Amino acid sequence: MKKLLLLSTLFLLIVSLAAAKNRKVKVITPYGTMVIRLYDQTPKHRDNFVKLARQHFYDSTLFHRVIRNFMIQGGDPDSKHALPGDTLGNGDVGYTIPPEFQLDLFHRKGALAAARDDRPDNASSGCQFYIVQGKVFTDEQLDKLEQTRLKGRKIPVDQRQVYKTAGGSPHLDQNYTVFGQVIKGMDVIDKIAALKTDSHDRPLQDVPVKIRVIKKWLFF
């Protein structure tokens, strides 16, 4: 009996650990679906995003801020059923998440990152996020960025290569927490980023989203 109980406990532990790692979500929009892998190196952001998605918190929220060649931002609960022309971006859940900066997680195209207010502790919004579109950089542009916006911080060689090919928004690195990456549906970012917007960068045509956690079976 004790042996059976031990095996059952071990099985439940394995299932729990497997479920926490390599989690993926689907971001469903009128322009297609993106599949995003959440990083295990940022467990606080990963677990919070999964929790909100499971609660259907994001259903009917909008991509309320869209800047071409930069990013598309969503997650504002005030955007649900917002009227045309409403100014959005101030909604939240009443808590923040400590930053989880990782040197190998950067703002390449398709990166999922946490939005935040301008605050000294760099804590992230509890719900608002953005997905990077960015642009492709030259070596000269990256050199200038290191000297200005990055205040002398050097961009690692491997990341520099990504910014010169796939593109991204390197000036945000180590200032905002990156906690996921689009692995399918990259074209959806471009479609949304190309939409016409008003003076507050809100798309003139609403872009509602639904976010679903992709079910897993053990290690698969």
Side-chain angles (χ1 to χ4, degrees), residues 30-46:
Y31 298 92
T33 297
M34 292 173 277
V35 175
I36 300 178
R37 178 169 63 88
L38 305 179
Y39 290 128
D40 296 331
Q41 300 100 303
T42 52
K44 293 183 178 66
H45 286 74
R46 177 200 64 200

Side-chain angles (χ1 to χ4, degrees), residues 97-111:
I97 304 172
E100 295 181 289
F101 300 149
Q102 301 289 335
L103 291 176
D104 61 334
L105 304 183
F106 58 105
H107 285 80
R108 63 187 301 164
K109 183 175 182 180

Side-chain angles (χ1 to χ4, degrees), residues 34 36 63 70-72 110-112 129-133 182 189:
M34 292 173 277
I36 300 178
F63 276 111
F70 182 29
M71 58 89 216
I72 59 176
L112 170 70
F129 63 90
Y130 60 91
I131 300 173
V132 174
Q133 183 192 36
V182 174
I189 305 172

Side-chain angles (χ1 to χ4, degrees), residues 196-207:
K196 292 183 178 180
T197 59
D198 63 17
S199 59
H200 297 288
D201 300 316
R202 177 180 169 181
L204 298 179
Q205 182 176 349
D206 284 348
V207 186

Side-chain angles (χ1 to χ4, degrees), residues 133-161:
Q133 183 192 36
K135 63 180 183 179
V136 173
F137 287 78
T138 65
D139 276 317
E140 290 75 18
Q141 289 172 323
L142 293 174
D143 290 342
K144 184 176 181 180
L145 195 62
E146 289 176 340
Q147 298 165 9
T148 55
R149 298 287 294 274
L150 298 181
K151 300 178 181 179
R153 188 180 71 81
K154 295 295 183 181
I155 301 171
V157 174
D158 58 333
Q159 296 178 18
R160 177 180 276 258
Q161 185 60 30

Side-chain angles (χ1 to χ4, degrees), residues 183-195:
I183 58 174
K184 185 178 180 182
M186 199 79 78
D187 61 309
V188 178
I189 305 172
D190 296 329
K191 292 175 183 177
I192 296 173
L195 296 174

Side-chain angles (χ1 to χ4, degrees), residues 21-191:
K21 292 184 177 181
N22 302 312
R23 178 63 73 185
K24 297 182 181 72
V25 297
K26 292 191 296 185
V27 179
I28 304 164
T29 82
Y31 298 92
T33 297
M34 292 173 277
V35 175
I36 300 178
R37 178 169 63 88
L38 305 179
Y39 290 128
D40 296 331
Q41 300 100 303
T42 52
K44 293 183 178 66
H45 286 74
R46 177 200 64 200
D47 294 347
N48 180 69
F49 199 71
V50 167
K51 178 193 73 173
L52 293 178
R54 282 178 170 161
Q55 293 173 352
H56 292 195
F57 171 88
Y58 290 114
D59 287 8
S60 299
T61 58
L62 307 176
F63 276 111
H64 65 271
R65 183 172 177 239
V66 169
I67 302 176
R68 191 171 187 177
N69 296 324
F70 182 29
M71 58 89 216
I72 59 176
Q73 183 173 335
D76 179 357
D78 293 345
S79 67
K80 295 184 180 183
H81 316 299
L83 297 175
D86 284 353
T87 301
L88 300 172
N90 294 316
D92 224 313
V93 286
Y95 62 84
T96 58
I97 304 172
E100 295 181 289
F101 300 149
Q102 301 289 335
L103 291 176
D104 61 334
L105 304 183
F106 58 105
H107 285 80
R108 63 187 301 164
K109 183 175 182 180
L112 170 70
R116 65 172 176 81
D117 291 328
D118 185 13
R119 43 188 296 152
D121 62 357
N122 292 330
S124 302
S125 162
C127 58
Q128 291 202 40
F129 63 90
Y130 60 91
I131 300 173
V132 174
Q133 183 192 36
K135 63 180 183 179
V136 173
F137 287 78
T138 65
D139 276 317
E140 290 75 18
Q141 289 172 323
L142 293 174
D143 290 342
K144 184 176 181 180
L145 195 62
E146 289 176 340
Q147 298 165 9
T148 55
R149 298 287 294 274
L150 298 181
K151 300 178 181 179
R153 188 180 71 81
K154 295 295 183 181
I155 301 171
V157 174
D158 58 333
Q159 296 178 18
R160 177 180 276 258
Q161 185 60 30
V162 172
Y163 285 132
K164 292 193 299 180
T165 52
S169 297
H171 66 283
L172 300 178
D173 289 346
Q174 306 308 308
N175 278 301
Y176 295 81
T177 297
V178 173
F179 65 99
Q181 176 67 35
V182 174
I183 58 174
K184 185 178 180 182
M186 199 79 78
D187 61 309
V188 178
I189 305 172
D190 296 329
K191 292 175 183 177

